[in-house]
Amino acid sequence: MSTQTDNPERHERILDAAANLIVHYGFDKTTVSDIAREAGISKGAIYLHFDSKDALFEGLLMREVGRYNTRWFELIEADPEGGLFSSLYKNVLIALNESDFMSAIFRRDTRILGSYLRKEDNLFKQMGGGAIRHEFMAMMQSAGAIRQDVDPQVMAHIMNMLAFGLVSMDDIIEPTTIPETDAIIEGIAEMMDRMLTPEDRVAASEAGKAVVRQLRAQVENQVAQTNENNKETDA
């Protein structure tokens, strides 16, 4: 559990330090003392913000997921065809690829996430994995954002396979043989566009953006409620 402090700058500095160390050395090999040293503060100051290493990690996880979601939404809104599923997916991959920490989360990297993955009540189980769900595909299909003749569950699974491959292929294939990431993302988006986009691209994009905005509002309400509940618990 995180604690309430009046030093948000130090709070962020702690999380920045934790992100750098955990990505490089992993959760298990990174100590609270290491994080304090990286942040340029005392170990005791860490505990003014977080009452355990797990709580610190969970605070980092929630921050990075929030940043990822914000980045993804910004990319969609800025894209004239952002509501097309091919564009949604492309922007998911762009946002995912921009963050080493989020890439590790997506592929459940045991080196980086370590023993936290084995916790019975870890946040990954509560969050449901972060993959594209077939329920979302079905919502997009009902809104007219994707073709009606595709199976939402099958397509969601295929897309998650592709996203997982994007962030983990260099563990399997010689990195020098892999094309540039931007080219791979564009290739996946083009393939998805041909498979999923209805004839009326403009209407499909607007319908898709409407679905994303609705879901984003729901997530923001849930986060606000969670934060309010945490404040009441801390009090």
Side-chain angles (χ1 to χ4, degrees):
M1 182 176 67
S2 62
T3 58
Q4 299 297 313
T5 74
D6 58 356
N7 196 331
E9 185 276 332
R10 186 173 62 191
H11 184 94
E12 290 302 303
R13 190 147 42 97
I14 292 168
L15 294 181
D16 289 340
N20 291 335
L21 292 172
I22 290 171
V23 165
H24 282 92
Y25 302 109
F27 174 80
D28 291 339
K29 292 184 178 179
T30 300
T31 67
V32 173
S33 295
D34 293 333
I35 296 169
R37 191 179 307 111
E38 179 79 5
I41 61 176
S42 69
K43 182 178 177 180
I46 298 280
Y47 291 108
L48 296 176
H49 296 262
F50 305 97
D51 43 3
S52 68
K53 179 182 169 183
D54 283 358
L56 195 164
F57 181 80
E58 289 173 353
L60 174 61
L61 173 62
M62 295 304 295
R63 186 188 74 168
E64 295 303 304
V65 169
R67 287 181 172 180
Y68 162 75
N69 287 334
T70 297
R71 176 62 174 152
W72 176 59
F73 186 73
E74 289 172 349
L75 290 168
I76 290 168
E77 288 290 9
D79 187 341
E81 292 191 326
L84 298 181
F85 208 92
S86 55
S87 296
L88 288 171
Y89 191 70
K90 177 178 72 175
N91 290 319
V92 164
L93 296 183
I94 290 172
L96 187 65
N97 193 57
E98 287 178 348
S99 169
D100 290 339
F101 191 80
M102 285 303 303
S103 294
I105 289 171
F106 184 86
R107 65 179 183 265
R108 296 296 186 266
D109 189 316
T110 55
R111 182 191 71 81
I112 292 177
L113 305 178
S115 60
Y116 183 80
L117 284 174
R118 298 191 293 274
K119 281 191 60 179
E120 186 64 31
D121 58 345
N122 75 65
L123 282 184
F124 299 124
K125 294 178 181 178
Q126 299 177 36
M127 294 166 64
I132 292 176
R133 300 175 64 87
H134 73 269
E135 291 90 348
F136 176 61
M137 289 286 293
M139 288 178 65
M140 294 288 285
Q141 189 175 56
S142 296
I146 65 174
R147 285 169 34 195
Q148 297 300 307
D149 58 342
V150 298
D151 185 321
Q153 188 167 10
V154 171
M155 291 309 303
H157 184 68
I158 290 172
M159 287 184 228
N160 287 326
M161 289 171 59
L162 291 170
F164 182 87
L166 179 71
V167 298
S168 62
M169 283 295 284
D170 57 359
D171 293 333
I172 304 170
I173 297 177
E174 172 57 43
T176 58
T177 68
I178 300 175
E180 292 293 326
T181 300
D182 289 348
I184 296 173
I185 290 174
E186 288 295 336
I188 293 174
E190 182 178 354
M191 180 175 63
M192 290 295 160
D193 190 56
R194 296 183 181 187
M195 286 194 297
L196 297 175
T197 303
E199 291 186 12
D200 191 340
R201 300 177 67 88
V202 174
S205 181
E206 287 305 310
K209 285 189 177 184
V211 171
V212 171
R213 290 168 187 151
Q214 175 187 344
L215 292 177
R216 180 173 173 81
Q218 291 176 0
V219 169
E220 289 176 344
N221 288 336
Q222 290 172 356
V223 170
Q225 184 60 53
T226 298
N227 290 338
E228 186 62 31
N229 291 341
N230 288 340
K231 288 180 182 179
E232 292 176 359
T233 300
D234 291 339

